[in-house]
Amino acid sequence: MAKNSLKWLALLGGVALGAASLAVAQDSGPLIDTLVKKGILTDQEGEELRVELLKDFGGSPAGKLGLSSALKEFRISGDGRVRYENRSGQNDLEDNQERARWRYRLRFGLTGKFGDGWFFGTRMETGTGNRSSNATFGDYANTPFGKGGNNAINVGQIYIGRVMGDFTITAGRFANPLTTTSMVWDGDINFEGLAEQWKHESGNVTWMANLSQVIYDDGNPENSFGGAAQNEEIYLLANQIGAKIKFSNGMALTVLPTYYAYANENGELTGGLTTGVAYPTGLSIVEIPVELAFTIGSLPARVWIDYAMNLDADERADFAGASAFDGEDTAYQIGFGIGQTKVKGDWEAKVFWQSVEAFALDGNLVDSDLFDSRTNMEGVVLQFGYVLSDGVTANLTYAHAERIEDALPAYGAGDIGTTALEKYNLIQADLNIKF
Amino acid sequence: MKKSILILTALVAAASAQAQKLVIKGSDTLGAKLVPMLSEEYKASHPGVSFEIAAEGSTTGIAAITDGTAAIGMSSRRAKPTEVSAAAAKGVSMKPIIVCYDGMAVIVNEKNPITALTKRQVEQIFTGDVTDWSAVGGTPGTFSIYTRNTSSGTYSDWKDLAMKKRDYAPSSQKMAGNEQIAAEVGKNPNGIGYVGVAYIHAPGVKVIPIEGHLPTKDEVLSKKYPYARPNFYYTNGEPTGEAAKFIEFTLGTEGQKVVEKVGFIPVK
């Protein structure tokens, strides 16, 4: 009698399991196995229960989602952001331009794994620019509550790759694989091309190499009829190698020297250094990002410096018609951060100083917000983040920068409409969700 | 005239009784020996019944129930969630019936000096983590791994039970059935494979204990042997007609004697 009661209890439990949490139905095998082993269910009853739970699951909304049996793992993720931003600039006549706007961003993607280490990823995102996935409220060519433009969904990432032991190879359009900072790379930029990564742990040292061969601009056509102009792809080869060393006191030092080389750098691009997209002429950059991580009390903290020098700055200065300023070849960012933003109640604060001389970096790639996509600017950035609830974070950013060399423009083309930018201020308040 | 119609009707009835054919598809593990023998025994007492048996892998057996092309689907593995939901989408209610038990035995060539393996070693061998017999205490020599093909229930059950759902070693060779695996291992001193207990007496092979357990009746029924599993018939809902009678026969005393005779482990 007792055994029969237990059996029914188990069966009811199984049904309740299926009804209350249908997603669990496919994972109920171990529970049924245990009930069979304990003699509460017979093998035959166990098998019938398994099938019944699967049928129930198949009838649920989640069970109707059909996925390829080739997939070993599948994930849906993304983020959304609502932002208030105010950026202002002062020119050399002490006149000011200000731009305030409300913005939003949506990014969502599907990632998955197959057998033998193969994986893929996709990410759809708002925005049409390479350095922004924001859309601005009301910015629809005089159409209230319109659609289109930056509001449209575009393919941000699509990549296929394979993990083979310590090696990972990725092809397609994918997130920047380099360890770097916003000084050199805007975080919204996705690479298009190939990346090979190697990571190997040996004792307290993790050796790393990140190699990438990306197409900076497509040449079309490469070969033309008759005497028409020939075109070539511009390639960017960005390669870094280094290590993360963990110390016994919990500190960790990461150093990853990087070299950027451009091939066919004159390609099809047509702009000078003050235009939106400039030739990557005269760029041969060495970057050395260094980070020391440690703890203060129970909080994670870090100091970092990212130093970069353009070895071909003289050529770039010539290209800009400013040969006398070929020494403007250095950039650095030095900062301190404390805290983390993982779970509800977490917070993080960061402060850094950044100085980017006129010909030090590729102005097509530097962060578009903090110093308005410019070089020849230096200043301070303060950032604070607080996790309101798991997956919901509030962020504040303030940046102030000033022109370094007054005899040269603030190269690049940002939202403040002058290259004679003397002073620049940015305030951003963000509400983010991540799923 | 009335007499002619009566005779014709009787002839048609007799012909349809004569044409009673039971279509059974699926697992090679069950369909190579056991079910043909059961069908012969059954026919002896049911002379009007004929059988069509196709043993091309468990996947084909479950698909045949979903498609309605067989009355009984043989399977050496459980139906997968996708198969159950695909069947449900077509209005088919997959019903599993355990007809016997099996222990998937690890076999090596009889000349191989290896006398025991652990579950971890078996996983390492079949996934390719190790490639030489010396890595598991044997005489140096590269493993020749023999597995079933991908439509086989044994192929996927082995991944689940012995390989932590990892992929087979790229060098593994896929065989059509248990007999082929046993034959290859019997010829190859570096061979290793897995077969159902009904195939462990093939010439030139020996069974390796796994952490001290062999696929005997007691060890399988007590679930001490790590690679034990039930074997199934699948039907669309509760079986009816001749299929129900044949299943009843399989699970009855006579049928289970055949199960034991073939080398499988009976359900009771």
Side-chain angles (χ1 to χ4, degrees):
Chain A
M1 180 65 189
K3 190 173 175 179
N4 268 341
S5 302
L6 277 171
K7 185 183 287 188
W8 280 109
L9 188 64
L11 282 164
L12 286 170
V15 172
L17 182 73
S21 179
L22 289 163
V24 178
Q26 287 176 296
D27 302 325
S28 54
L31 172 63
I32 296 172
D33 288 343
T34 304
L35 294 172
V36 169
K37 265 189 180 174
K38 289 186 175 295
I40 296 167
L41 295 176
T42 66
D43 280 358
Q44 179 62 36
E45 286 168 338
E47 296 305 329
E48 287 174 5
L49 184 56
R50 270 180 232 277
V51 171
E52 286 307 314
L53 286 172
L54 287 173
K55 284 178 193 167
D56 283 352
F57 178 74
S60 71
K64 287 170 186 161
L65 180 66
L67 295 176
S68 163
S69 59
L71 279 170
K72 306 288 183 193
E73 185 182 306
F74 183 69
R75 186 181 168 88
I76 302 170
S77 61
D79 59 35
R81 180 174 71 196
V82 177
R83 162 176 288 179
Y84 170 75
E85 176 184 292
N86 183 301
R87 64 175 76 192
S88 60
Q90 185 183 92
N91 65 15
D92 49 5
L93 301 173
E94 297 192 359
D95 192 9
N96 288 284
Q97 184 182 80
E98 184 176 346
R99 182 152 196 215
R101 50 190 167 175
W102 288 88
R103 316 192 83 184
Y104 62 88
R105 173 175 90 174
L106 170 66
R107 304 186 299 185
F108 60 93
L110 311 174
T111 55
K113 292 178 182 172
F114 299 99
D116 301 324
W118 289 94
F119 62 87
F120 78 96
T122 63
R123 190 171 78 184
M124 308 301 288
E125 54 194 40
T126 46
T128 55
N130 65 333
R131 284 186 279 187
S132 173
S133 43
N134 289 312
T136 300
F137 287 18
D139 185 24
Y140 306 108
N142 298 322
T143 304
F145 315 117
K147 286 180 186 169
N150 284 331
N151 160 274
I153 298 291
N154 296 283
V155 177
Q157 295 178 1
I158 166 65
Y159 55 87
I160 299 168
R162 192 177 182 195
V163 178
M164 293 164 286
D166 292 341
F167 291 93
T168 302
I169 185 164
T170 310
R173 184 178 167 94
F174 47 84
N176 185 340
L178 304 169
T179 295
T180 182
T181 68
S182 58
M183 179 183 79
V184 181
W185 283 98
D186 187 294
D188 286 317
I189 291 178
N190 292 304
F191 280 26
E192 289 183 336
L194 279 173
E196 305 84 33
Q197 293 173 279
W198 172 75
K199 198 172 187 179
H200 180 75
E201 279 193 37
S202 176
N204 61 338
V205 180
T206 303
W207 295 98
M208 291 176 275
N210 297 316
L211 314 179
S212 53
Q213 306 83 44
V214 294
I215 296 177
Y216 193 92
D217 188 61
D218 177 56
N220 180 26
E222 283 79 4
N223 186 19
S224 307
F225 290 116
Q230 313 293 303
N231 299 292
E232 289 181 303
E233 275 81 25
I234 302 175
Y235 294 102
L236 169 58
L237 310 175
N239 300 314
Q240 66 181 182
I241 186 164
K244 179 177 184 178
I245 305 161
K246 290 178 187 165
F247 301 101
S248 55
N249 57 5
M251 295 173 87
L253 179 70
T254 305
V255 185
L256 277 151
T258 312
Y259 178 62
Y260 301 95
Y262 293 74
N264 308 324
E265 59 197 40
N266 290 336
E268 275 192 321
L269 298 180
T270 56
L273 294 191
T274 56
T275 57
V277 180
Y279 281 134
T281 301
L283 289 169
S284 176
I285 299 166
V286 173
E287 179 195 4
I288 307 174
V290 181
E291 181 187 279
L292 180 67
F294 51 95
T295 54
I296 297 177
S298 61
L299 290 171
R302 61 195 180 107
V303 291
W304 73 90
I305 181 164
D306 190 9
Y307 175 85
M309 175 179 271
N310 180 11
L311 306 178
D312 286 347
D314 51 346
E315 189 188 340
R316 195 159 179 82
D318 289 346
F319 176 64
S323 303
F325 294 94
D326 60 359
E328 300 290 314
D329 60 358
T330 304
Y332 68 91
Q333 184 185 99
I334 184 165
F336 167 74
I338 183 167
Q340 61 184 6
T341 50
K342 289 185 176 173
V343 296
K344 183 179 178 178
D346 279 359
W347 59 270
E348 182 180 23
K350 285 193 282 189
V351 56
F352 60 87
W353 174 266
Q354 178 175 301
S355 173
V356 180
E357 292 181 339
F359 307 119
L361 295 172
D362 184 346
N364 295 336
L365 308 179
V366 299
D367 189 272
S368 62
D369 291 334
L370 298 177
F371 293 175
D372 200 38
S373 312
R374 313 287 180 154
T375 62
N376 194 25
M377 297 289 285
E378 65 182 3
V380 67
V381 176
L382 303 168
Q383 292 178 313
F384 181 76
Y386 182 77
V387 183
L388 300 168
S389 183
D390 289 358
V392 184
T393 308
N395 289 92
L396 276 173
T397 298
Y398 170 74
H400 172 81
E402 297 187 5
R403 185 146 47 143
I404 299 172
E405 176 51 69
D406 287 339
L408 294 173
Y411 290 112
D415 287 317
I416 304 301
T418 178
T419 54
L421 186 63
E422 279 294 323
K423 292 179 181 173
Y424 172 75
N425 287 296
L426 174 76
I427 295 170
Q428 288 176 331
D430 299 337
L431 186 60
N432 303 280
I433 55 152
K434 195 171 183 181
F435 56 90
Chain B
M1 181 64 182
K2 271 187 182 174
K3 195 175 178 184
S4 302
I5 291 171
L6 272 173
I7 292 167
L8 188 63
T9 308
L11 282 172
V12 168
S16 62
Q18 281 296 322
Q20 188 71 263
K21 187 165 82 172
L22 196 50
V23 180
I24 303 176
K25 293 183 180 177
S27 164
D28 167 79
T29 301
L30 294 176
K33 281 186 188 174
L34 175 62
V35 174
M37 281 184 71
L38 284 167
S39 67
E40 289 305 316
E41 292 282 332
Y42 186 78
K43 277 194 285 189
S45 54
H46 299 75
V49 181
S50 67
F51 283 83
E52 180 187 323
I53 299 168
E56 292 169 352
S58 299
T59 301
T60 63
I62 292 166
I65 296 303
T66 303
D67 298 340
T69 56
I72 296 174
M74 303 175 283
S75 181
S76 60
R77 63 165 170 82
R78 293 182 178 118
K80 295 173 186 170
T82 48
E83 291 169 329
V84 172
S85 52
K90 287 190 171 184
V92 173
S93 176
M94 204 63 84
K95 179 175 173 61
I97 300 150
I98 300 173
V99 293
C100 65
Y101 292 92
D102 192 11
M104 288 183 284
V106 177
I107 56 167
V108 299
N109 190 280
E110 65 183 356
K111 291 175 188 157
N112 192 319
I114 283 285
T115 55
L117 287 170
T118 65
K119 287 196 287 183
R120 175 76 182 132
Q121 286 172 325
V122 171
E123 179 195 338
Q124 287 175 317
I125 292 169
F126 281 90
T127 56
D129 285 349
V130 293
T131 56
D132 197 282
W133 280 106
S134 59
V136 292
T139 310
T142 307
F143 295 121
S144 294
I145 302 167
Y146 298 101
T147 77
R148 295 289 306 281
N149 59 38
T150 53
S151 66
S152 156
T154 311
Y155 177 89
S156 56
D157 269 353
W158 189 253
K159 275 176 81 167
D160 290 352
L161 291 172
M163 297 165 62
K164 292 182 180 167
K165 300 188 179 182
R166 295 172 61 195
D167 289 322
Y168 282 93
S171 62
S172 61
Q173 300 171 62
K174 293 179 176 64
M175 301 284 121
N178 287 285
E179 286 173 346
Q180 287 83 353
I181 290 178
E184 290 299 324
V185 172
K187 287 188 285 187
N188 186 342
N190 288 323
I192 182 166
Y194 51 78
V195 292
V197 283
Y199 302 88
I200 59 177
H201 301 298
V205 305
K206 67 177 181 181
V207 178
I208 300 299
I210 307 301
E211 297 181 354
H213 299 290
L214 282 165
T216 61
K217 183 177 178 181
D218 288 345
E219 298 255 3
V220 168
L221 288 177
S222 65
K223 298 179 172 57
K224 286 179 184 163
Y225 184 66
Y227 311 135
R229 58 178 182 164
N231 287 323
F232 303 92
Y233 286 166
Y234 275 93
T235 56
N236 179 3
E238 284 298 329
T240 56
E242 208 60 49
K245 289 180 194 166
F246 181 68
I247 291 166
E248 192 181 344
F249 171 79
T250 301
L251 296 174
T253 311
E254 281 182 76
Q256 291 297 297
K257 273 185 190 165
V258 176
V259 163
E260 202 151 16
K261 191 173 167 188
V262 172
F264 288 102
I265 292 146
V267 290
K268 49 191 170 186

